[in-house]
Amino acid sequence: MFIKRTIKAQIEHWLEQGKIAILYGPRQVGKTTLAKEILKDRKGKYINCENLETRQALESQNAAQLRAYLGEGTFFVLDEAQRVENIGLALKLLKDTFPELQLLATGSSSFDLANKISEPLTGRSVEFHLYPFSYGEIAAMKEPWEMANVLDSMLRYGSYPELTQRGWHDAELFLQNISSNYLFRDVLEFEQVKKPKLLTNLLQLLALQVGNEVSLNELATKLETGRVTISRYLDLLEKSFVIFTLYPLSRNPRNEIGKKNKIYFYDLGMRNAIISRFNQLPVRDDIGALWENFCIVERMKSLGNSMMYRNHFFWRDRRSGEVDYVEEYDGAIHGYEFKWGEKHARPPKNFIETYQGSYITVNKENFSDFISG
């Protein structure tokens, strides 16, 4: 079953506007498939930058030589572009010299690709992030009655594209394989992390604390390492699309707590693989955490696919009042509480009085409206 990627229209729009498209994303989420799908309707070529000969050719600083290597056509996909030394400069030379060219570069490691591209391509490129399938992308290809099973599967196994093609029966094996063989590859290879065991232990702790506030000092103490090391590893994991961070909304320091952050996973299947926990939802003691992570990441996918940018927070005060997720846009604050099932939460009085914003409980009845953006 072919599932259309929502972000495809945005990429095509900005290519037509003359921008170089930079497509980031973790391994195995379909960057190459999407790039080739966009190529279908254009005259051009797919170029695999993991090929040694290709890398050497694209490292040229001569625009004419670069253009000659690309060959016929006006649209070119440079897959795994971070493999090419000074790729940002090469793309700049091509675009400045041959403005009719449409260029799409992909990379699985944002911190590496960004370091090589950002400065040379200032004003010339637009960045896109591709993640595992969103609930909305799958729903567009399914019948409504099928979506209850899809939700169950996404909470347990995530939504990597290969799982939707091969079926859920071997999902655990696939996820265990990708978590051990791909999860740390970018971090270990590009940043020369020397303690992969520490990285594994850190991720296991984070997986068990989804939905809770995380203290760098507590993580460092439990893992018997320094706070600076933990901070660096968290940054690398975020830049390699494993985790993302929510920071506290704190504009009234006398009453609000703002020193700890919350950390979530981009894919719940990956999170569950890290702690080897794939058991069915009715017997899980972490369903609340799974639901919170699911709703937040699906909202972020939907907003990102539509190129809508909003500030994201959570909120907590000194009286134990808490709001799971807060968005700020159009000059207003909007709070959301996530409840598995059909439960409804009462809004914290301090939050409503301080921010005069909206407050919605997101449960199984209305979550599709929330995550649609």
Side-chain angles (χ1 to χ4, degrees):
M1 177 181 63
F2 178 76
I3 296 179
K4 297 178 181 179
R5 304 311 299 257
T6 308
I7 204 169
K8 177 175 180 283
Q10 292 289 344
I11 296 174
E12 291 175 326
H13 167 76
W14 286 105
L15 285 170
E16 295 298 330
Q17 297 300 310
K19 298 294 185 180
I20 299 173
I22 311 298
L23 182 62
Y24 297 128
R27 297 177 184 273
Q28 303 288 307
V29 294
K31 297 185 301 297
T32 300
T33 301
L34 175 58
K36 289 182 176 180
E37 187 67 21
I38 295 173
L39 177 60
K40 279 183 181 179
D41 300 325
R42 292 169 170 78
K43 184 180 179 182
K45 184 167 62 174
Y46 167 83
I47 299 171
N48 185 354
C49 295
E50 292 192 303
N51 180 282
L52 177 60
E53 180 183 345
T54 296
R55 293 203 305 269
Q56 292 174 338
L58 293 177
E59 286 169 4
S60 170
Q61 301 303 304
N62 182 290
Q65 291 178 358
L66 288 169
R67 183 67 185 90
Y69 179 78
L70 294 181
E72 295 183 1
T74 56
F75 177 69
F76 299 94
V77 173
L78 280 67
D79 204 8
E80 297 295 337
Q82 78 275 2
R83 300 293 186 184
V84 180
E85 192 70 28
N86 296 318
I87 183 60
L89 184 56
L91 291 171
K92 176 181 181 294
L93 284 171
L94 283 168
K95 192 64 179 176
D96 288 353
T97 309
F98 308 100
E100 72 280 4
L101 293 184
Q102 293 184 331
L103 302 169
L104 169 57
T106 81
S108 58
S109 50
S110 71
F111 51 91
D112 192 67
L113 188 59
N115 288 341
K116 295 179 179 180
I117 281 187
S118 296
E119 187 173 346
L121 294 185
T122 300
R124 297 175 175 85
S125 64
V126 178
E127 298 179 3
F128 305 89
H129 289 180
L130 187 69
Y131 301 114
F133 287 137
S134 70
Y135 181 88
E137 287 172 331
I138 297 176
M141 308 303 294
K142 295 274 189 179
E143 297 295 333
W145 57 267
E146 296 179 282
M147 293 311 294
N149 288 333
V150 169
L151 176 60
D152 180 285
S153 296
M154 290 183 72
L155 289 169
R156 294 172 63 196
Y157 302 121
S159 56
Y160 269 82
E162 187 167 342
L163 296 181
T164 63
Q165 303 298 327
R166 296 172 55 184
W168 306 108
H169 61 282
D170 56 356
E172 293 183 26
L173 179 61
F174 168 79
L175 289 166
Q176 294 287 6
N177 178 64
I178 195 174
S179 65
S180 59
N181 293 330
Y182 291 97
L183 184 58
F184 306 132
R185 180 177 294 184
D186 291 331
V187 177
L188 296 177
E189 181 176 350
F190 295 116
E191 291 295 322
Q192 299 179 348
V193 172
K194 298 178 181 179
K195 297 180 180 179
K197 181 62 176 176
L198 176 59
L199 202 60
T200 301
N201 292 340
L202 172 59
L203 273 169
Q204 289 175 341
L205 280 180
L206 295 176
L208 294 170
Q209 295 188 46
V210 166
N212 297 321
E213 293 172 75
V214 174
S215 164
L216 294 187
N217 290 332
E218 290 176 7
L219 291 174
T221 299
K222 289 181 179 179
L223 296 173
E224 299 180 345
T225 188
R227 188 179 186 277
V228 173
T229 299
I230 294 299
S231 180
R232 174 170 173 260
Y233 278 25
L234 290 176
D235 182 58
L236 294 177
L237 288 168
E238 186 152 6
K239 289 177 178 176
S240 55
F241 310 106
V242 179
I243 61 173
F244 63 93
T245 302
L246 276 190
Y247 298 94
L249 176 66
S250 182
R251 296 177 182 173
N252 187 4
R254 294 180 59 185
N255 297 320
E256 297 171 344
I257 300 173
K259 293 184 178 180
K260 298 181 180 180
N261 305 324
K262 286 188 175 185
I263 294 176
Y264 300 91
F265 285 77
Y266 277 115
D267 186 77
L268 285 172
M270 191 67 68
R271 179 263 183 185
N272 292 334
I274 290 168
I275 55 176
S276 299
R277 188 180 293 181
F278 295 105
N279 45 317
Q280 296 182 358
L281 301 185
V283 298
R284 299 189 71 121
D285 60 3
D286 60 351
I287 184 60
L290 288 177
W291 182 241
E292 182 175 326
N293 195 140
F294 170 81
C295 290
I296 292 173
V297 75
E298 289 301 315
R299 174 77 163 190
M300 293 179 69
K301 288 178 186 177
S302 180
L303 294 173
N305 287 340
S306 303
M307 303 292 282
M308 298 173 66
Y309 301 102
R310 297 175 178 178
N311 295 321
H312 311 275
F313 309 94
F314 70 94
W315 178 87
R316 183 185 171 199
D317 70 3
R318 299 181 187 276
R319 302 177 188 175
S320 298
E322 188 173 358
V323 179
D324 289 336
Y325 177 72
V326 178
E327 280 186 359
E328 180 183 30
Y329 60 93
D330 295 338
I333 297 292
H334 307 269
Y336 304 90
E337 191 73 14
F338 305 109
K339 295 293 183 183
W340 177 248
E342 300 177 358
K343 300 177 181 178
H344 288 269
R346 179 177 298 177
K349 183 178 179 181
N350 267 6
F351 178 80
I352 297 299
E353 290 180 348
T354 301
Y355 296 106
Q356 304 293 313
S358 63
Y359 181 89
I360 296 174
T361 299
V362 178
N363 55 33
K364 290 175 71 174
E365 292 181 327
N366 65 356
F367 78 94
S368 60
D369 292 332
F370 167 73
I371 64 177
S372 69

